[in-house]
Amino acid sequence: MRKCSFALLFVALLVVLSMGTAFAAEDVIKIGTLFPLTGPCALAGQRCQAAVETAVEVINNAHPEINVPGAAAEGVLGGKKFVLVHADHQGKPDVAKSEAERLIDQEGVYAIIGSYNSSCTKPASFVAERKQKLFMCGCSSSAALTKRDLNRFFRLAPTDETESLEFVEFIKYLNETKSAGIETVGLIYENTEFGKHAAEEGKAAAEAAGLKVVADVAFNPGATNLNSEVQTLKAADPDAVFGACLGGDYTLWVRTMKQMDWLPDVALNYCTGYQDPIIAKQLEADGDFFMGGTGYSPEFAELMPAVAAVEKIYMTKTDPSVPFDSDCIQEAIATLILAQAMEMAGTTDYDAVLKVLHETQFDSPMSLGGKVVFAPGGQNLKAMSILTQLQGGSYKRIYPLDLADTEPVVPMVAWGSR
Amino acid sequence: MVTFLQVALDGILSGLLYALIAAGLSLIWGVMDVINFAHGEFLMVAMYLSYWLGFLWKVDPLISWIASGVFAFLVGALTYKLIIRHTIGKSAMAALLATFGLSMFLKNVCLYVFSPNFRILNDTFLGGKTFSVGGVIFSLPQLATSLFSLCVVALVYLLIKKTRLGWAIQATAMDKEAAELMGINTEWIYVLVFGLGGACVGIAGGLLPSYLATFPDVGGLFSLLAFVCVAMGGFGSIPGALFAAILIGLVEAFSGFYVAPVFKYVAVFGLYLVVVFWRPRGLFGW
């Protein structure tokens, strides 16, 4: 009799627990994050993850002080909370693929947000498409990602193609108004999916504008030195250089140019180490006068006032505490847009949410463009960046002219004169 | 001609740095037949020590290399005592996998403690300083690192070849049992060798922050190149490692400049394959 009572109690307990889980499951929406949390791009990956966590905090809790759609409410669809499941792809495409499969098959996530490296976003988003899940991509910049006609892939950031066209347009402006005399271009880029695509786009844009590409320098990321690379650039002596060097490679590139006492007139960078405020600070005066496309910087506060309150939360999640950068803010926006789409669809049903994502113009006060509209293939048509130049360690807006707050310093000040 | 000389100089300076990293590895490999997979992480840990000494107390890498060398010596000796000792006499894979585990441990500990941030030391005594001879630019931080490298490698070589301790190390490497019968404390020799191996890479790590960013993954390619230097130079041969390292530095620089930068490691590892195929024991192997 006693045994029987225990058995009944045990069964009852299991039933209660499983019901609890079932109820809990209905109240949460699992979202997978997939970033390089270890490996050479770990710094950027961890910041991207912190940005998604920040967005989820805004979505899950009532924040009436934040001027972002959905921030005032608690959760989505009447109180459902986002729960994050984190995964690390280490910067390796094969790991990204298997981790995307794990997130979908084993963790049962509703959507994946990621994956920073274009080379990892590519296979991971294929997995999501095959398994009919959403993939929200914040900052992977390879233009090829949105030329695959995927139906469930959405990318927020501008592409390398957009940035390359901006670079060339800026050079034209310099030549026409400042008699800069820029006629030749050199490319230096890491030999990865991101770097190669950026270089291809840069080359195409430069040649289309009548600029001559005189150096095409690919290097292996994480190299012990960049002496041959910079020596090759120096020998070709291009007037302008388009750079796609991430993290530690960016600092090595800058310092090797200093060591070799060489600089082009203009150095324009894709989304790279240039945008990392910590690297910019650490390089001190050596980092000055480099330029690049920037989607966000604290110096843009007057253009994007809604960011400040969200940024406060983000800064509590990073160590050392740093503001948003151009890359990670896009991951936060991707998460917020997903929540907005669910709210507009009024359901978590995939087809309904997908329809909203494809057909809606979203308000996005955290985006430089202010709005988000996805083209077929998933590219955000309203994505934009501003060309900035580091001057005195500060990102100064230099182009387009209507958004500029400072005159560009061209040619760059020589190493010996700083 | 100036460009040619500049490329040659860059190659030699890079090669001398590789030689210092490879010397420690060669010593451990030659004496104990152990492949230390954590060698690159020893370098990384030493770089962090030098970086923090510089960042917190403004100790210049020109001085902090001593602390990094001593610290890496202790890390090496402890590694032997706590890990490698238990793998001696077992399959060669045991030590290899143990050091692989150690490398993962060290890398992830640093990732956790220091975060993946790229840490750059500014305002070092030699930082960014150069001088020019006939148009060829000498970078002082790299030149200093190379001169240190030459001195340390020469000292290690003299220690092995000219001192009683060195003879004991050589005897242990040749025949451990016979060395013990001659009264050599081989256990102590192993601790010392692992410590010395660590110290060599530690000194390199102490000097590197004067021109290279410190981050958890910084040791990866350095350790791979050090393996190639040791295998090309001949297992256990310090002059072999030095020669191979300079050769690798030159091949890297010339192929990088005259063929294509992206080709430089293809040339380095291609050369390695040719040497290993032609002389499996390496250029100066026993």
Side-chain angles (χ1 to χ4, degrees):
Chain A
M1 183 63 192
R2 231 175 126 182
K3 273 186 184 172
C4 190
S5 305
F6 270 123
L8 279 173
L9 206 69
F10 183 67
V11 170
L13 192 70
L14 279 181
V15 169
V16 169
L17 281 177
S18 62
M19 278 171 70
T21 314
F23 288 137
E26 280 178 11
D27 286 339
V28 301
I29 299 165
K30 271 188 173 182
I31 305 291
T33 70
L34 183 54
F35 293 110
L37 305 179
T38 56
C41 296
L43 177 62
Q46 292 189 6
R47 288 187 190 159
C48 287
Q49 182 178 296
V52 176
E53 285 170 357
T54 303
V56 166
E57 189 163 323
V58 171
I59 293 162
N60 284 351
N61 303 295
H63 283 282
E65 79 284 7
I66 295 177
N67 181 26
V68 168
E74 200 172 309
V76 291
L77 302 171
K80 287 183 197 294
K81 303 279 173 89
F82 274 21
V83 172
L84 295 176
V85 183
H86 299 305
D88 171 20
H89 62 57
Q90 304 163 30
K92 298 174 183 167
D94 55 324
V95 179
K97 179 178 173 286
S98 58
E99 282 297 280
E101 282 167 348
R102 182 182 68 79
L103 284 171
I104 293 170
D105 294 338
Q106 292 176 29
E107 300 289 348
V109 298
Y110 180 84
I112 294 177
I113 297 172
S115 297
Y116 186 74
N117 308 77
S118 296
S119 57
C120 295
T121 302
K122 199 173 179 180
S125 55
F126 265 131
V127 169
E129 183 81 6
R130 200 175 69 235
K131 293 182 183 286
Q132 304 196 329
K133 299 284 179 186
L134 296 171
F135 197 103
M136 302 299 291
C137 168
C139 64
S140 304
S141 59
S142 165
L145 289 172
T146 40
K147 290 180 179 169
R148 299 174 296 170
D149 292 330
L150 298 189
N151 194 35
R152 290 172 172 76
F153 179 79
F154 301 92
R155 187 241 306 272
L156 276 298
T159 66
D160 304 326
E161 190 178 12
T162 321
E163 288 194 308
S164 300
L165 293 171
E166 271 179 352
F167 292 175
V168 167
E169 202 181 305
F170 176 63
I171 288 174
K172 271 188 194 167
Y173 157 75
L174 289 177
N175 284 343
E176 285 165 11
T177 61
K178 312 234 175 248
S179 306
I182 297 168
E183 292 172 357
T184 55
V185 170
L187 304 160
I188 180 163
Y189 54 96
E190 60 169 50
N191 196 21
T192 59
E193 174 104 5
F194 153 66
K196 281 193 286 188
H197 273 283
E200 279 168 20
E201 300 294 350
K203 197 174 182 179
E207 285 174 348
L211 297 164
K212 193 177 173 194
V213 177
V214 293
D216 185 338
V217 181
F219 65 90
N220 296 311
T224 56
N225 64 69
L226 291 177
N227 292 345
S228 331
E229 288 78 358
V230 175
Q231 196 67 254
T232 306
L233 280 178
K234 188 180 176 180
D237 198 21
D239 300 322
V241 170
F242 295 175
C245 316
L246 294 172
D249 294 326
Y250 178 75
T251 65
L252 190 58
W253 175 49
V254 172
R255 289 194 152 186
T256 310
M257 282 201 288
K258 184 181 181 186
Q259 177 198 316
M260 305 229 173
D261 195 24
W262 178 79
L263 272 177
D265 290 344
V266 173
L268 290 151
N269 294 279
Y270 293 93
C271 72
T272 58
Y274 167 79
Q275 277 101 348
D276 185 332
I278 296 283
I279 289 181
K281 196 175 162 191
Q282 290 186 335
L283 278 171
E284 294 182 345
D286 291 350
D288 273 352
F289 311 114
F290 285 81
M291 302 171 182
T294 308
Y296 175 76
S297 160
E299 284 90 344
F300 293 8
E302 60 190 272
L303 302 176
M304 305 150 79
V307 177
V310 184
E311 195 169 53
K312 261 188 202 163
I313 302 173
Y314 172 75
M315 289 176 75
T316 63
K317 294 178 183 294
T318 49
D319 181 25
S321 182
V322 286
F324 278 126
D325 58 50
S326 300
D327 290 333
C328 69
I329 195 171
Q330 301 292 353
E331 305 298 344
I333 298 167
T335 314
L336 290 165
I337 293 293
L338 177 64
Q340 250 192 88
M342 283 180 187
E343 203 65 66
M344 286 177 171
T347 170
T348 53
D349 177 71
Y350 276 107
D351 291 335
V353 174
L354 203 57
K355 194 166 184 294
V356 171
L357 282 167
H358 277 299
E359 295 176 359
T360 310
Q361 173 165 287
F362 297 92
D363 283 330
S364 181
M366 287 179 58
S367 302
L368 197 53
K371 303 276 179 193
V372 169
V373 184
F374 294 111
Q379 177 56 34
N380 173 17
L381 293 171
K382 300 284 181 185
M384 64 178 285
S385 65
I386 297 176
L387 278 183
T388 59
Q389 182 175 41
L390 268 169
Q391 294 180 15
S394 201
Y395 290 94
K396 300 291 184 188
R397 306 196 303 265
I398 53 169
Y399 197 80
L401 296 178
D402 55 335
L403 295 173
D405 61 0
T406 310
E407 280 285 304
V409 177
V410 178
M412 296 171 80
V413 176
W415 295 114
S417 310
R418 295 187 182 200
Chain B
M1 190 57 188
V2 170
T3 306
F4 178 86
L5 290 174
Q6 182 72 62
V7 173
L9 176 73
D10 289 341
I12 291 169
L13 295 186
S14 299
L16 285 170
L17 170 65
Y18 299 154
L20 183 55
I21 300 168
L25 193 68
S26 177
L27 203 59
I28 295 169
W29 204 341
V31 175
M32 301 173 64
D33 219 9
V34 165
I35 300 170
N36 181 17
F37 248 104
H39 205 66
E41 280 61 43
F42 284 13
L43 179 84
M44 177 265 294
V45 169
M47 283 179 76
Y48 268 114
L49 182 70
S50 177
Y51 168 80
W52 285 115
L53 285 175
F55 183 75
L56 296 174
W57 292 296
K58 305 291 173 206
V59 181
D60 198 87
L62 280 177
I63 296 168
S64 57
W65 66 269
I66 302 169
S68 294
V70 171
F71 181 69
F73 179 94
L74 293 174
V75 172
L78 267 177
T79 301
Y80 173 76
K81 277 299 214 187
L82 298 177
I83 300 171
I84 304 300
R85 190 161 62 98
H86 303 289
T87 67
I88 300 287
K90 295 182 180 141
S91 154
M93 284 298 282
L96 191 138
L97 291 175
T99 54
F100 180 72
L102 178 66
S103 80
M104 290 290 122
F105 173 78
L106 289 174
K107 198 187 293 183
N108 284 288
V109 163
C110 287
L111 197 61
Y112 177 72
V113 177
F114 303 125
S115 82
N117 283 306
F118 300 96
R119 296 178 191 274
I120 305 163
L121 209 50
N122 287 309
D123 304 325
T124 58
F125 184 66
L126 298 177
K129 292 195 175 73
T130 56
F131 68 93
S132 174
V133 178
V136 178
I137 298 168
F138 288 73
S139 155
L140 274 179
Q142 279 182 307
L143 187 65
T145 306
S146 305
L147 292 176
F148 265 88
S149 169
L150 259 185
C151 294
V152 174
V153 171
L155 282 175
V156 171
Y157 179 74
L158 289 174
L159 174 84
I160 300 291
K161 292 291 176 188
K162 302 287 181 190
T163 65
R164 288 179 66 85
L165 177 63
W167 299 336
I169 291 174
Q170 285 187 65
T172 307
M174 285 172 191
D175 192 327
K176 184 172 176 267
E177 278 79 23
E180 280 171 356
L181 287 172
M182 295 295 113
I184 294 169
N185 184 345
T186 55
E187 179 70 7
W188 165 238
I189 293 289
Y190 280 169
V191 173
L192 192 71
V193 163
F194 232 92
L196 276 176
C200 286
V201 76
I203 291 169
L207 291 163
L208 275 176
S210 60
Y211 63 95
L212 207 63
T214 304
F215 56 101
D217 273 309
V218 71
L221 192 55
F222 279 110
S223 74
L224 193 60
L225 287 170
F227 281 120
V228 173
C229 294
V230 173
M232 259 175 75
F235 303 105
S237 168
I238 303 286
L242 176 66
F243 179 81
I246 293 174
L247 188 63
I248 283 171
L250 285 170
V251 167
E252 184 187 280
F254 279 106
S255 59
F257 183 73
Y258 288 105
V259 183
V262 77
F263 187 78
K264 63 186 186 184
Y265 293 118
V266 175
V268 165
F269 292 106
L271 175 70
Y272 163 69
L273 287 176
V274 170
V275 170
V276 168
F277 181 74
W278 170 57
R279 267 184 75 89
R281 284 165 184 268
L283 296 169
F284 293 72
W286 292 346

